[in-house]
Amino acid sequence: MESVQFAHPMDELKDRLRQILQVIPPHSKIYYLDYPVHGNGGDLLIMKGTEAFFKDNHIRVMARYSVLDFPSGVKIPQDHIIVLHGGGNFGDLYPAHQRLREQIVSDYPGHRVVMLPQTIFYKSEAEFNRTASIFNQHKDLHLYVRDTFSQEMATVKFKTCHVYLSPDMAHQLWPIRSQTNPDKELLCFLRIDIEKTAEQERLEASGQGDYLDWATLFSGFEQKSIRAIFKMSAASNGKLPVSMIWGKYTDYLVNKAVNRFSKYKKVQTSRLHGHILSCLMDKPNILLDNSYGKNSSYYRTWTNGITSAKLLAQQTSAERV
């Protein structure tokens, strides 16, 4: 069989997402659950990539619910596939999202359940085993993971679950064109949360570049608007059109991130989606790891062939920005 030739490594990563069509065929009817309602732009990029994937492949989204407004006991037609948002919150660091995942698997044993590309991390082996005991009761459960380490863990723990290796859903957005010519040198897009590392702190001490994270990229007014929609979603119990309102507002938020990245010639980031957004824009970038190795695992699995992207751990000090 003739091999497919790709003009850019990002073309191949986008094309790899098509494997998901084996379990969510074109024209399927789905419920899309656990979409993010917060200001983490990485999750918003995943959401936009996911929605683009659905649209590009004629997948019919019949309902959308976040972790805030999914009504317990909702009746989902038997021929509808339940699809859960991907990202990096699979495990015990973000328990609300994990509880929803486990609830869906328990409450809908007769439905096909698909979990889009995730990174798995547990601090507690007992919690991982508890999740496995729930998942192993389901006979049509499909889990996509973003790195080989997550794949190995899931394959060992989840005996009845179908486990697949896949790039992040944000790759469906390739390519994103810069909207302006860069007039600044370096953007340091660095985490300020629990996944920050000592290596990042040493880098910050150098004082080079402009420093941002998702929390500081969006203005006070924008953060207030995000919180208002969050509260609306939490109070709606699935009865208000929050997903429509949020969909429009996040178009604006993601566009703001693209505009800001467009202003810089290169990016240094400890945010996985700072790295992925840079790659989507074909912008030179250097990736730092996070606290539990998510970033380096992703780079080694998927983006190490992109010439404009480097992993800091693979560089000498002379090569660093």
Side-chain angles (χ1 to χ4, degrees):
M1 185 173 67
E2 185 178 350
S3 62
V4 178
Q5 297 297 315
F6 294 100
H8 193 286
M10 290 290 285
D11 291 315
E12 182 176 4
L13 293 179
K14 181 176 180 177
D15 188 72
R16 280 180 176 267
L17 294 176
R18 292 183 57 80
Q19 68 173 309
I20 296 170
L21 299 176
Q22 296 173 16
V23 295
I24 313 175
H27 307 287
S28 295
K29 295 178 181 179
I30 71 167
Y31 272 44
Y32 175 35
L33 308 185
D34 200 22
Y35 71 83
V37 185
H38 51 245
N40 183 307
D43 276 326
L44 303 186
L45 284 165
I46 295 171
M47 182 178 71
K48 294 305 180 187
T50 302
E51 293 283 6
F53 181 84
F54 295 154
K55 182 178 179 181
D56 292 345
N57 292 290
H58 311 288
I59 294 166
R60 301 172 62 188
V61 183
M62 309 308 289
R64 294 172 175 84
Y65 293 103
S66 72
V67 71
L68 303 168
D69 66 357
F70 180 72
S72 181
V74 65
K75 292 184 178 180
I76 301 177
Q78 193 63 44
D79 65 339
H80 288 34
I81 300 170
I82 302 173
V83 181
L84 288 129
H85 180 76
N89 59 19
F90 193 113
D92 54 6
L93 286 183
Y94 304 95
H97 300 279
Q98 191 62 28
R99 283 197 298 269
L100 176 61
R101 240 175 247 119
E102 294 168 1
Q103 176 192 340
I104 295 301
V105 172
S106 295
D107 291 353
Y108 299 93
H111 286 74
R112 172 165 290 186
V113 177
V114 181
M115 300 180 183
L116 294 176
Q118 277 278 354
T119 299
I120 298 175
F121 178 75
Y122 282 87
K123 294 182 294 182
S124 165
E125 186 75 12
E127 280 297 301
F128 202 173
N129 289 334
R130 189 186 61 78
T131 298
S133 69
I134 296 169
F135 279 23
N136 288 333
Q137 300 301 310
H138 202 285
K139 304 305 181 187
D140 197 7
L141 179 58
H142 302 261
L143 170 62
Y144 290 85
V145 292
R146 301 187 299 191
D147 61 271
T148 54
F149 187 54
S150 294
Q151 183 185 31
E152 291 167 4
M153 290 191 295
T155 301
V156 169
K157 293 287 187 180
F158 305 144
K159 303 297 186 182
T160 63
C161 179
H162 303 274
V163 179
Y164 315 88
L165 187 64
S166 173
D168 187 272
M169 294 303 298
H171 286 282
Q172 188 69 25
L173 299 173
W174 165 261
I176 295 177
R177 306 298 183 192
S178 292
Q179 300 175 6
T180 59
N181 291 323
D183 57 4
K184 297 184 177 182
E185 194 64 30
L186 175 64
L187 173 62
C188 295
F189 200 75
L190 302 174
R191 325 186 60 101
I192 56 174
D193 63 3
I194 59 174
E195 296 181 35
K196 182 177 179 177
T197 66
E199 176 69 22
Q200 177 181 313
E201 291 175 354
R202 286 192 289 271
L203 180 71
E204 290 171 345
S206 71
Q208 297 180 42
D210 295 341
Y211 285 76
L212 280 177
D213 193 11
W214 296 120
T216 50
L217 172 62
F218 302 133
S219 70
F221 177 78
E222 289 158 354
Q223 295 287 356
K224 185 175 181 180
S225 299
I226 291 167
R227 290 192 295 271
I229 297 172
F230 179 98
K231 291 177 181 178
M232 183 193 306
S233 182
S236 74
N237 198 33
K239 296 178 180 177
L240 296 175
V242 179
S243 65
M244 185 181 302
I245 297 167
W246 183 238
K248 296 290 187 183
Y249 193 60
T250 52
D251 285 343
Y252 161 76
L253 295 176
V254 169
N255 191 57
K256 181 175 184 179
V258 171
N259 284 336
R260 182 59 65 90
F261 274 59
S262 295
K263 296 179 184 295
Y264 293 87
K265 296 177 183 177
K266 50 192 173 183
V267 176
Q268 236 175 9
T269 183
S270 55
R271 285 283 185 187
L272 177 58
H273 284 84
H275 167 65
I276 291 177
L277 178 55
S278 298
C279 292
L280 288 167
M281 300 174 69
D282 209 14
K283 184 176 291 291
N285 68 97
I286 292 176
L287 178 64
L288 289 75
D289 214 350
N290 72 318
S291 61
Y292 60 90
K294 174 178 67 178
N295 295 351
S296 59
S297 292
Y298 193 86
Y299 177 86
R300 293 182 180 116
T301 305
W302 301 114
T303 52
N304 64 86
I306 298 171
T307 56
S308 60
K310 303 295 180 187
L311 183 65
L312 185 63
Q314 295 185 342
Q315 296 181 299
T316 67
S317 58
E319 293 173 321
R320 297 178 186 178
V321 172

